[in-house]
Amino acid sequence: MRYGGSTTCIAIVEGFAIRAFIDAGTGLMAFRSFGLELAGAIPVFLTHYHWDHIQGVSMLGEVWAGACLFTFIGPNDPEQMLTGAIRPPWFPVALQDAPEPVAFEGIDGPTTVGSITVTAFPVQHPQGAVGYRIDGPNRSLAIVTDHESSPDYDDVVAEAIDGVEVLVHDAQYLPEEAASHVGWGHSTWENATAMAVRMGADELILTSHDPTRSDTAVDDMIQAARSAFLNTVGAEPGLEIAL
Ligand SMILES: [Zn+2]
């Protein structure tokens, strides 16, 4: 009711205009309820193509109306991934048949969106995934969701997000649940707080909540995380981060 309900979608907003999205989970459809509008050209940066990160694309009317120039940007051939997933018989219409201009781009270095720079880096997740570093005019933010913490990969992540003030980090499992989920591609609040401490972040936002965890259980998890990193909150719909 508070933390869940939608899957991951983060909007980059200037004024009341959405300039870009990071991930396209079901949260993508909620932007109007926050009084936001789509700019004419919208890059959609995808971390990976698991259902919970792309289902908003299929349900967004503007995609099918050709109302905006959407460019889907991600690792491993986003055109093949998205058109392969959004088509009959799994969905009544095929993304391939959407009116122009839907475009696709692989990840190729930092991308500038208005006053924001978006840079991808690899994380550890089944079938591969990336995180994103977002550098704004005043502050920067790192999105490290769907990442399974491990010493080797955490070195790569820490280097990519060095100097970032706000860390959005996967915390799907409780520490006591981690051993039974090795290889599932997610982290714990202990992993998240360790990374926040390591990189000297100001603020930590725990995300990728387990779908079966109640609001109260997420509250308890945040409380536990605050013992290791005080300025910790949980990702929830409508959370705003100023950059
Ligand atoms: Zn995933």
Side-chain angles (χ1 to χ4, degrees):
M1 296 301 292
R2 285 187 285 123
Y3 294 110
S6 289
T7 61
T8 305
C9 180
I10 296 167
I12 296 178
V13 178
E14 283 182 334
F16 288 97
I18 294 175
R19 301 295 306 271
F21 287 109
I22 311 285
D23 269 345
T26 60
L28 184 66
M29 293 175 288
F31 70 87
R32 284 185 200 83
S33 64
F34 299 108
L36 302 173
E37 297 173 350
L38 295 174
I42 311 271
V44 182
F45 297 90
L46 298 167
T47 59
H48 63 308
Y49 307 99
H50 290 158
W51 284 343
D52 50 321
H53 294 256
I54 64 168
Q55 278 184 321
V57 176
S58 59
M59 298 302 290
L60 187 65
E62 281 81 353
V63 169
W64 305 99
C68 300
L69 170 58
F70 288 100
T71 303
F72 297 100
I73 302 168
N76 306 328
D77 197 343
E79 178 165 14
Q80 187 197 3
M81 298 291 172
L82 286 176
T83 58
I86 302 173
R87 67 185 185 95
W90 301 281
F91 196 68
V93 285
L95 184 61
Q96 209 155 22
D97 299 333
E100 294 294 339
V102 176
F104 303 91
E105 274 177 27
I107 291 171
D108 185 22
T111 305
T112 301
V113 182
S115 56
I116 303 272
T117 304
V118 181
T119 310
F121 53 89
V123 298
Q124 180 157 253
H125 198 63
Q127 290 86 53
V130 297
Y132 286 102
R133 176 183 178 131
I134 303 171
D135 288 290
N138 301 309
R139 295 167 90 207
S140 54
L141 169 132
I143 297 168
V144 186
T145 186
D146 291 52
H147 166 61
E148 182 165 348
S149 180
S150 73
D152 284 352
Y153 264 87
D154 283 0
D155 285 349
V156 174
V157 170
E159 189 174 330
I161 64 178
D162 186 43
V164 164
E165 282 93 355
V166 185
L167 173 62
V168 181
H169 198 289
D170 194 300
Q172 186 150 126
Y173 304 128
L174 301 176
E176 58 269 33
E177 296 166 341
S180 57
H181 294 87
V182 172
W184 289 42
H186 294 281
S187 296
T188 68
W189 64 259
E190 281 186 344
N191 301 138
T193 55
M195 181 60 77
V197 169
R198 173 176 179 173
M199 55 179 280
D202 297 337
E203 193 175 339
L204 173 63
I205 300 168
L206 302 179
T207 192
S208 201
H209 308 305
D210 187 301
T212 62
R213 207 174 307 289
S214 68
D215 284 337
T216 310
V218 175
D219 283 336
D220 291 346
M221 177 185 72
I222 292 164
Q223 210 52 47
R226 284 177 179 160
S227 67
F229 190 87
L230 187 59
N231 197 6
T232 300
V233 298
E236 60 180 64
L239 179 68
E240 292 179 26
I241 304 154
L243 298 183

